[in-house]
Structure formats: structure tokens, C-alpha cells
Amino acid sequence: QVQLVESGGGMVQAGGSLRPSCVGSGRTFGAYAMGWFRQTPGKEREFVAGISDGSVRLWYADSVKGRFTISRDNTKKLVYLQMNSLKPEDTAVYYCAAGNTIGAVSVRNFHSWGQGTQVTVSS
């Protein structure tokens, strides 16, 4: 498994942008598919975006397609989530996760999780 730490959340007005990042540890970071999820109080954690180990495949939740972009730099063990045209409904704690299944959208397919970073979008 791998240890993950998110950063780069914050507060922004609707229409603005943020780019949270996630740094991993361990020699196997580059071997994992990575994902971003988000969660609001009282709701289940939901899938946002995923990227395969070599960045060949990217997949997104319908709610963020065209606005968010996931990317990674395996040499630096980093995963990014570029979030543009933010909406108040994007407000959540954002988590990065590592897994073994390309195309996965379920939390059950990811075995390592960060502690989360808060993103707040005001109207």
C-alpha cells in the first residue's frame, strides 16, 4: 500500500479554480491507479475522477466532466485535480486514493486513502 497526503484545498467563489494535489510515498506509487473522491456531511463518499498508472486512461463523474482534469507525475509521486468553473455544489472534503482497478468508481476498489482537503465554493 501507499501513504497519501492531500493539500491545496481552500475557499473560492463560484466560477473560480483550485488545484488540490496529493503526494504519495513508497516505491510502488507509479504502479497504482489513482482516484479523487469527495464527501459532504451525511452523504456517502462519491467518485470524482480517476487516472491509470501510466496516465493513458482518465475517467470522470458526469457532474465534473469538462470542468475538472486529473493528472499525475509519477517521478514526483504527485496526483493533481485541476478544478475549473467551480460551483457551490462542489463544496466537499476531497480525498485521493490508490487502487488496482482501472476505471473503478467504487470506494471498495481503492485500498489507500489520504486524510482529505476541504474545498469550499461560495455563491
Side-chain angles (χ1 to χ4, degrees), residues 40-77:
T40 54
K43 293 189 176 182
E44 293 186 353
R45 195 167 296 187
E46 66 171 0
F47 170 78
V48 175
I51 186 168
S52 61
D53 52 347
S55 303
V56 174
R57 272 202 63 186
L58 312 178
W59 59 103
Y60 298 93
D62 288 342
S63 59
V64 306
K65 280 181 181 177
R67 300 189 300 123
F68 290 12
T69 303
I70 187 171
S71 61
R72 68 190 295 169
D73 183 340
N74 287 340
T75 64
K76 298 179 180 178
K77 298 180 182 178

Side-chain angles (χ1 to χ4, degrees), residues 1 15 29 34 54 56 68 70 74 77 90 97 99 102 107 110:
Q1 296 192 351
F29 175 86
M34 297 297 297
V56 174
F68 290 12
I70 187 171
N74 287 340
K77 298 180 182 178
D90 294 318
I102 295 173
V107 296
F110 292 83

Side-chain angles (χ1 to χ4, degrees), residues 14 17 49 53 73 81 86 112 121:
S17 299
D53 52 347
D73 183 340
L81 185 66
L86 282 161
S112 300
V121 184

Side-chain angles (χ1 to χ4, degrees), residues 6-52:
E6 302 94 336
S7 62
M11 183 177 294
V12 66
Q13 289 188 331
S17 299
L18 282 173
R19 193 179 77 151
S21 60
C22 170
V23 63
S25 63
R27 289 177 290 178
T28 57
F29 175 86
Y32 294 122
M34 297 297 297
W36 283 95
F37 287 73
R38 64 188 181 188
Q39 189 171 23
T40 54
K43 293 189 176 182
E44 293 186 353
R45 195 167 296 187
E46 66 171 0
F47 170 78
V48 175
I51 186 168
S52 61

Side-chain angles (χ1 to χ4, degrees), residues 38-46 88-95 117-120:
R38 64 188 181 188
Q39 189 171 23
T40 54
K43 293 189 176 182
E44 293 186 353
R45 195 167 296 187
E46 66 171 0
E89 51 264 43
D90 294 318
T91 295
V93 177
Y94 282 72
Y95 298 89
T117 185
Q118 176 70 47
V119 170
T120 303

